[in-house]
Amino acid sequence: MKPLGPMEWMLPIFLSLCCLAEAGEIRGWVLSTEGRPIANAEILTKKLEGQVRQAVWTQPDGHYVVRDLGEGVYSLTVTGPGGHQVVHRIVVIGTPDSSIRMDFRLALLLSEEVSPQEEQRPPLPVYTPDLNAVRRRLMEERGAEPQPLSEFLPEQNYFGAEFGSPLKEFYPLASRPIASQWRSAISDAFQNSVLNARSFFTRGRLPSARVNQYNVSSGGPLASERLFVTAQFGRLWDSGEVNGNVQVPKQQERIPLTNDPQARSVIAAILEAYRSGLPNFPASANISEHQRNVSAPHKIDNKDGLLRLDIPFGMNNSLASLFSINDHAEDPLELVIGQNPQTNVRTLAIHASLTHNFSPSAVGRIGFHFDRLAASLSPTEEFLHLFDSQGIATSVPDVDFQADSLEDIGPGTPFPRRQVQNRFQLYGDATRPFGRHTLKIGGGMARVQVNDLQSDHARGTLVFAADFGHSEIENFLLGRPALWTVSSGDFYRGFRNWEHFFYLGDQIRLTPRLNLNLGLRYELETSPTEVNGRTEAGYSTDLTNFAPRIGFAWYPTRANLTLRGGYGISYGIIFPATYQFACFNPPEIRVTELPAPDLASLFFPPAPQGRYALRRISPDLVTPYSHQYSLSVERDMPGSFFLRLSYTGSRSFHLFTQSITNRARPLSGIPLTTETVNARRPDSRYTSMAEVESNSIAYYDAAQVSLQKRLS
């Protein structure tokens, strides 16, 4: 490879810092043929007439974005998380500001599909990753797809990036050059299941499904080419029936066995959630005798709009502003009544940035971001009225079968849930070259507002298990739950906190073949406060979050060989779902736990209790952080092949765990039965005592060999 001269080496950096980089994007969703989101699918983007290529991975909700693309024709290759399903598409980006929506459907193997209970729960706040999905991939499958970290720049937070998606990814709004003419595009796509192949595991008739989506976009100059406008609107309808497997009672297991008439009515009402369908698989060593393959309707209505304005001021200033909104409404899949919540989510963003060129080589920028997320997730109407047929005037609880001998009933303990998050962020940065050095400095501050109604166990939760000398299903039909958990009180909370970050960086051109990056980042996240003083977070602000960075790129020979490596520390965040754990404490909220309760007394009416569960945050809680490092060798091979050998590793500390104390212990004179659990607890004031701590350590090492063939 020809060595880069000083001007050649500085030119791409200068262009990117002046925000004149190509800024088109391709975004969309990767779903299964049944409409389930697919996480960790690889989207490889390659420009047909050039050497541009990018690889991104889908988030837990199936969403992906490929940014900073110029005009041209691109090949998109989508590979499923197991590498079994590959889909190719050709996409044309007509203008530098194009934002193309491209959705994909993959037919995954049975072992790759997500369970219906988890599939329809979109991530609520931008802070909340799908940790269950990460845990499944790390512990039950062959591991997360490694994401090579090619650089450790101080302006970015890379916490979690080795798994494919950083938790605190932030991109300032970049200015764009004014286009010389108007360009518009209209697209529509329709998919009907009559053209789909039948799955081997589907019993009965083939479920119908239809997907229709359209997109309208237009952009061009106004006001004598002093204003550039981009507008876009799109809509997606996804409706039809989704097929899946559930565990349902057999015919002889649909009659309550208890003699108590009130308990019989409760069990009879819960049995109605399984509808009239019976198991339809022949029992075998690999298939449960309770398994039923069934289809249920599922609908998604997604609308999104965008308006962007770019205004240059003279030769040295430019203003960029953006407004976007997305509405997502979903009538959930219910293979059994109440299986998933009714979902309505709205995201709104207002972004603006002002860029100033102090000189041809010095650039500064200031900006403001407002991001709002409003989500409402509630049990379906059919589930809420499940007890009406038996004349029971109380909320329908969740039913948890501990060994999963039958499908659990209910959408989950957190629902209904209504949450609004507002994030106000100011940021600024500046870059200036000095000889062989390119210095950059920046920082930002954000005010975060979280207004949340998280009603954990507000409807109550019944747990059935193999106990009392009977099986799990027998105890269910006898009306003998092992545990009853219910919360009462005012569940609404409003939390406020600040987030700050500052960084310094230096990119050094040591030789024409060796570049070195140095940086230091500092992050501060204050302990949240509740606006009405109802909840104390229980931990103090962590003030020691310094994150050094170092990286290098070396071109040792003329054989198109590149050696990259780096090391950095990245800090995570304390999620609202973590510090809100402290909300569920008396006297504001009382969590009652009753071992082996009398089922009738819970609903006709509930009996008052004198002791409650305790939920608290450790006073020693601190922000988790990771030591991350990587090394890669890249080379262009004959025949338009590109080879990459890479290693990525991390050592993470202070990860969150939950400990349970005040457990029952053997006591002389008291039988060791479920009914006596509370009587045998050390602290008689409470039932269980749970505490969130930051005392876990994680190790991650990944090697990856990648061979890619460029299209001719």
Side-chain angles (χ1 to χ4, degrees), residues 271-323:
L271 282 168
E272 292 180 11
Y274 296 106
R275 300 187 171 95
S276 59
L278 298 174
N280 56 5
F281 273 90
S284 68
N286 299 320
I287 300 178
S288 166
E289 61 182 356
H290 294 97
Q291 183 160 311
R292 174 175 173 78
N293 182 266
V294 65
S295 300
H298 175 226
K299 295 181 180 180
I300 296 176
D301 187 0
N302 191 87
K303 300 183 287 290
D304 61 86
L306 180 145
L307 177 65
R308 174 172 177 141
L309 303 177
D310 289 274
I311 307 172
F313 296 94
M315 297 294 295
N316 298 320
N317 301 290
S318 59
L319 174 67
S321 60
L322 177 144
F323 171 81

Coordinates of all heavy atoms in Angstrom, one line a residue, residues 271-323:
L271 N -58.3 -21.5 34.4 CA -58.2 -22.5 33.3 C -58.8 -21.9 32.0 O -58.4 -22.4 30.9 CB -59.0 -23.7 33.8 CG -58.3 -24.7 34.7 CD1 -59.3 -25.6 35.3 CD2 -57.2 -25.4 34.0
E272 N -59.7 -20.9 32.1 CA -60.2 -20.3 30.9 C -59.2 -19.7 30.0 O -59.3 -19.5 28.8 CB -61.3 -19.3 31.2 CG -62.6 -20.0 31.8 CD -63.6 -18.9 32.1 OE1 -63.5 -17.8 31.7 OE2 -64.6 -19.3 32.8
A273 N -58.0 -19.3 30.6 CA -56.9 -18.7 29.8 C -56.4 -19.6 28.8 O -55.8 -19.2 27.8 CB -55.8 -18.2 30.8
Y274 N -56.5 -20.9 29.0 CA -56.0 -21.9 28.0 C -57.0 -22.2 26.9 O -56.7 -23.0 26.0 CB -55.6 -23.2 28.8 CG -54.5 -23.1 29.8 CD1 -54.8 -23.1 31.1 CD2 -53.2 -22.9 29.4 CE1 -53.8 -22.9 32.1 CE2 -52.2 -22.8 30.3 CZ -52.5 -22.8 31.6 OH -51.4 -22.6 32.6
R275 N -58.1 -21.5 26.9 CA -59.1 -21.7 25.9 C -59.5 -23.2 25.9 O -59.3 -24.0 26.8 CB -58.7 -21.2 24.6 CG -58.4 -19.7 24.6 CD -58.1 -19.1 23.2 NE -58.1 -17.7 23.2 CZ -56.9 -17.0 23.3 NH1 -55.8 -17.7 23.3 NH2 -57.0 -15.7 23.2
S276 N -60.0 -23.7 24.8 CA -60.5 -25.0 24.7 C -59.5 -26.0 24.0 O -59.7 -27.2 23.9 CB -61.8 -25.1 23.9 OG -61.6 -24.6 22.6
G277 N -58.4 -25.4 23.6 CA -57.4 -26.3 22.8 C -56.7 -27.3 23.7 O -56.3 -26.9 24.9
L278 N -56.5 -28.5 23.2 CA -55.9 -29.5 24.0 C -54.5 -29.8 23.4 O -54.2 -29.4 22.2 CB -56.7 -30.8 23.9 CG -58.1 -30.7 24.6 CD1 -58.9 -32.0 24.3 CD2 -58.0 -30.4 26.1
P279 N -53.6 -30.5 24.1 CA -52.3 -30.9 23.5 C -52.5 -31.7 22.2 O -53.4 -32.5 22.1 CB -51.7 -31.8 24.6 CG -52.4 -31.4 25.8 CD -53.8 -31.0 25.5
N280 N -51.7 -31.3 21.2 CA -51.9 -32.0 19.9 C -50.6 -32.6 19.4 O -50.4 -32.8 18.2 CB -52.4 -31.0 18.8 CG -51.5 -29.7 18.7 OD1 -50.5 -29.6 19.3 ND2 -52.0 -28.7 18.0
F281 N -49.6 -32.8 20.3 CA -48.4 -33.5 19.9 C -48.4 -34.9 20.6 O -48.7 -35.0 21.8 CB -47.1 -32.8 20.4 CG -46.6 -31.8 19.4 CD1 -47.1 -30.4 19.4 CD2 -45.7 -32.1 18.4 CE1 -46.7 -29.5 18.5 CE2 -45.3 -31.2 17.5 CZ -45.8 -29.9 17.5
P282 N -48.0 -36.0 19.9 CA -47.9 -37.3 20.6 C -46.7 -37.2 21.6 O -45.6 -36.7 21.3 CB -47.6 -38.2 19.4 CG -47.0 -37.4 18.3 CD -47.7 -36.0 18.5
A283 N -47.0 -37.7 22.8 CA -45.9 -37.6 23.8 C -44.7 -38.5 23.5 O -44.9 -39.6 22.9 CB -46.5 -38.1 25.2
S284 N -43.6 -38.0 23.7 CA -42.3 -38.7 23.5 C -41.3 -38.2 24.5 O -41.5 -37.4 25.3 CB -41.8 -38.4 22.0 OG -41.4 -37.1 21.9
A285 N -40.1 -38.8 24.3 CA -39.0 -38.4 25.2 C -38.6 -37.0 25.1 O -38.0 -36.4 26.0 CB -37.8 -39.4 25.0
N286 N -38.8 -36.4 23.9 CA -38.4 -35.1 23.6 C -39.5 -34.0 23.6 O -39.2 -32.8 23.5 CB -37.6 -35.0 22.2 CG -36.4 -35.9 22.2 OD1 -35.7 -36.0 23.1 ND2 -36.2 -36.6 21.1
I287 N -40.7 -34.5 23.6 CA -41.9 -33.5 23.6 C -42.8 -33.8 24.8 O -43.1 -34.9 25.1 CB -42.6 -33.7 22.3 CG1 -41.7 -33.4 21.0 CG2 -43.8 -32.8 22.2 CD1 -42.4 -33.6 19.7
S288 N -43.1 -32.7 25.4 CA -44.0 -32.9 26.6 C -45.4 -33.3 26.2 O -45.9 -33.0 25.1 CB -44.1 -31.5 27.3 OG -45.1 -31.5 28.2
E289 N -46.1 -34.1 27.1 CA -47.4 -34.5 26.8 C -48.4 -33.4 26.9 O -49.6 -33.6 26.5 CB -47.8 -35.6 27.8 CG -47.8 -35.2 29.3 CD -48.1 -36.3 30.2 OE1 -48.5 -37.4 29.7 OE2 -48.1 -36.0 31.4
H290 N -48.0 -32.2 27.3 CA -48.9 -31.0 27.4 C -48.7 -30.0 26.3 O -49.3 -29.0 26.2 CB -48.7 -30.3 28.7 CG -49.1 -31.1 29.9 ND1 -48.2 -31.8 30.7 CD2 -50.3 -31.3 30.5 CE1 -48.8 -32.4 31.7 NE2 -50.1 -32.1 31.6
Q291 N -47.8 -30.4 25.3 CA -47.5 -29.4 24.3 C -48.6 -29.3 23.2 O -49.1 -30.3 22.7 CB -46.1 -29.8 23.6 CG -45.7 -28.7 22.6 CD -44.2 -28.9 22.3 OE1 -43.4 -28.9 23.2 NE2 -43.9 -28.9 21.0
R292 N -48.8 -28.0 22.9 CA -49.8 -27.7 21.9 C -49.2 -26.7 20.9 O -48.7 -25.7 21.3 CB -51.1 -27.1 22.5 CG -52.1 -26.7 21.4 CD -53.4 -26.2 22.0 NE -54.3 -25.6 21.1 CZ -55.0 -26.3 20.2 NH1 -55.0 -27.6 20.2 NH2 -55.8 -25.7 19.3
N293 N -49.3 -27.0 19.6 CA -48.9 -26.1 18.6 C -50.1 -25.3 18.1 O -51.2 -25.9 17.7 CB -48.3 -26.8 17.4 CG -47.8 -25.8 16.3 OD1 -48.5 -25.5 15.4 ND2 -46.6 -25.3 16.5
V294 N -50.1 -24.0 18.2 CA -51.3 -23.2 18.0 C -50.9 -21.9 17.4 O -49.7 -21.4 17.5 CB -52.1 -23.0 19.3 CG1 -51.2 -22.1 20.3 CG2 -53.4 -22.3 19.1
S295 N -51.8 -21.2 16.7 CA -51.6 -19.9 16.1 C -52.5 -18.9 16.7 O -53.6 -19.2 17.2 CB -51.9 -20.0 14.6 OG -51.0 -20.9 14.0
A296 N -52.1 -17.7 16.8 CA -52.9 -16.6 17.4 C -52.6 -15.3 16.6 O -51.5 -15.1 16.0 CB -52.5 -16.4 18.8
P297 N -53.6 -14.4 16.5 CA -53.4 -13.1 15.8 C -52.4 -12.2 16.4 O -52.2 -12.2 17.7 CB -54.8 -12.5 15.7 CG -55.5 -13.1 16.9 CD -55.0 -14.5 17.1
H298 N -51.8 -11.4 15.6 CA -50.8 -10.5 16.1 C -50.7 -9.3 15.1 O -50.7 -9.5 13.9 CB -49.4 -11.2 16.2 CG -48.3 -10.3 16.5 ND1 -47.1 -10.3 15.8 CD2 -48.2 -9.4 17.5 CE1 -46.3 -9.4 16.4 NE2 -46.9 -8.8 17.4
K299 N -50.8 -8.1 15.6 CA -50.8 -6.9 14.7 C -49.8 -5.9 15.2 O -49.7 -5.6 16.4 CB -52.2 -6.3 14.7 CG -53.2 -7.2 14.0 CD -54.6 -6.5 14.0 CE -55.7 -7.4 13.4 NZ -57.0 -6.7 13.3
I300 N -49.1 -5.2 14.3 CA -48.2 -4.1 14.6 C -48.5 -3.0 13.6 O -48.7 -3.2 12.4 CB -46.7 -4.6 14.4 CG1 -46.3 -5.6 15.4 CG2 -45.8 -3.4 14.5 CD1 -44.9 -6.2 15.2
D301 N -48.6 -1.8 14.2 CA -48.8 -0.6 13.4 C -47.7 0.4 13.8 O -47.7 0.9 14.9 CB -50.2 0.0 13.6 CG -50.4 1.2 12.7 OD1 -49.6 1.5 11.8 OD2 -51.5 1.8 12.8
N302 N -46.8 0.6 12.9 CA -45.6 1.5 13.2 C -45.6 2.7 12.2 O -45.6 2.5 11.0 CB -44.3 0.7 13.1 CG -43.1 1.4 13.6 OD1 -42.8 1.4 14.8 ND2 -42.4 2.1 12.8
K303 N -45.5 3.9 12.8 CA -45.5 5.1 12.0 C -44.3 5.9 12.4 O -44.0 6.1 13.6 CB -46.7 5.9 12.1 CG -48.0 5.2 11.7 CD -49.2 6.1 11.8 CE -49.6 6.4 13.2 NZ -50.2 5.2 13.9
D304 N -43.5 6.5 11.4 CA -42.4 7.3 11.8 C -42.3 8.4 10.8 O -42.5 8.3 9.6 CB -41.1 6.5 11.8 CG -40.7 5.9 10.5 OD1 -40.1 6.5 9.7 OD2 -41.1 4.7 10.3
G305 N -41.9 9.6 11.3 CA -41.7 10.8 10.5 C -40.5 11.5 10.8 O -40.0 11.5 12.0
L306 N -39.9 12.3 9.9 CA -38.7 13.0 10.1 C -38.7 14.3 9.3 O -39.1 14.3 8.1 CB -37.5 12.2 9.7 CG -36.1 12.8 9.9 CD1 -35.1 11.7 10.3 CD2 -35.6 13.4 8.6
L307 N -38.2 15.4 9.9 CA -38.0 16.7 9.3 C -36.7 17.2 9.7 O -36.4 17.3 10.9 CB -39.1 17.7 9.6 CG -39.0 19.1 9.0 CD1 -39.1 19.0 7.5 CD2 -40.0 20.0 9.6
R308 N -35.9 17.5 8.7 CA -34.5 18.1 8.9 C -34.3 19.3 8.1 O -34.7 19.4 7.0 CB -33.5 17.0 8.6 CG -32.1 17.5 8.7 CD -31.0 16.5 8.6 NE -29.7 17.1 8.7 CZ -28.7 16.6 9.3 NH1 -28.8 15.5 9.9 NH2 -27.5 17.3 9.3
L309 N -33.6 20.3 8.8 CA -33.2 21.6 8.2 C -31.7 21.8 8.3 O -31.2 21.6 9.4 CB -34.0 22.7 8.8 CG -35.5 22.7 8.8 CD1 -36.1 23.9 9.5 CD2 -36.0 22.6 7.4
D310 N -31.1 22.1 7.2 CA -29.7 22.5 7.3 C -29.5 23.9 6.7 O -29.9 24.2 5.6 CB -28.8 21.5 6.4 CG -28.8 20.1 7.1 OD1 -27.9 19.9 7.9 OD2 -29.6 19.3 6.8
I311 N -28.9 24.8 7.5 CA -28.7 26.2 7.1 C -27.3 26.6 7.2 O -26.7 26.6 8.3 CB -29.6 27.1 8.0 CG1 -31.0 26.6 8.0 CG2 -29.5 28.5 7.5 CD1 -31.9 27.3 9.0
P312 N -26.6 27.0 6.1 CA -25.2 27.5 6.2 C -25.3 29.0 6.4 O -26.2 29.7 6.0 CB -24.7 27.2 4.8 CG -25.8 27.2 3.9 CD -27.0 26.7 4.7
F313 N -24.3 29.5 7.2 CA -24.2 31.0 7.5 C -22.8 31.4 7.0 O -21.8 31.1 7.7 CB -24.3 31.3 9.0 CG -25.7 31.0 9.5 CD1 -25.9 29.7 10.2 CD2 -26.7 31.9 9.4 CE1 -27.2 29.4 10.7 CE2 -28.0 31.6 9.9 CZ -28.2 30.4 10.6
G314 N -22.7 32.0 5.8 CA -21.5 32.3 5.3 C -20.6 31.1 5.0 O -21.1 30.0 4.6
M315 N -19.3 31.3 5.0 CA -18.4 30.3 4.7 C -18.0 29.4 5.9 O -17.5 28.3 5.7 CB -17.1 30.9 4.1 CG -17.4 31.6 2.8 SD -17.9 30.5 1.4 CE -16.4 29.5 1.2
N316 N -18.2 29.9 7.1 CA -17.6 29.2 8.2 C -18.6 28.6 9.2 O -18.2 28.0 10.2 CB -16.7 30.1 9.0 CG -15.5 30.6 8.1 OD1 -15.0 29.8 7.4 ND2 -15.2 31.9 8.2
N317 N -19.9 28.8 9.0 CA -20.9 28.4 10.0 C -22.0 27.6 9.3 O -22.4 27.9 8.2 CB -21.6 29.6 10.7 CG -20.5 30.4 11.4 OD1 -20.0 30.0 12.4 ND2 -20.3 31.6 10.9
S318 N -22.5 26.6 10.0 CA -23.7 25.9 9.5 C -24.5 25.4 10.7 O -24.0 25.1 11.8 CB -23.2 24.7 8.7 OG -22.4 23.8 9.5
L319 N -25.8 25.4 10.5 CA -26.8 25.0 11.6 C -27.5 23.8 11.0 O -28.1 23.8 9.9 CB -27.7 26.1 11.9 CG -28.9 25.8 12.9 CD1 -28.3 25.5 14.3 CD2 -29.9 26.9 12.9
A320 N -27.6 22.8 11.8 CA -28.4 21.6 11.5 C -29.4 21.3 12.6 O -29.1 21.4 13.8 CB -27.5 20.3 11.4
S321 N -30.7 21.0 12.2 CA -31.7 20.7 13.2 C -32.6 19.6 12.6 O -32.7 19.4 11.4 CB -32.6 21.9 13.4 OG -33.2 22.3 12.2
L322 N -33.1 18.8 13.6 CA -33.8 17.6 13.2 C -35.0 17.4 14.2 O -34.8 17.6 15.4 CB -32.9 16.4 13.2 CG -33.5 15.0 12.9 CD1 -32.5 14.2 12.1 CD2 -33.8 14.3 14.2
F323 N -36.1 17.0 13.6 CA -37.3 16.6 14.4 C -37.7 15.2 13.9 O -37.9 15.0 12.7 CB -38.4 17.6 14.3 CG -39.7 17.1 14.9 CD1 -39.9 17.2 16.3 CD2 -40.7 16.5 14.1 CE1 -41.1 16.7 16.9 CE2 -41.9 16.1 14.7 CZ -42.1 16.2 16.1

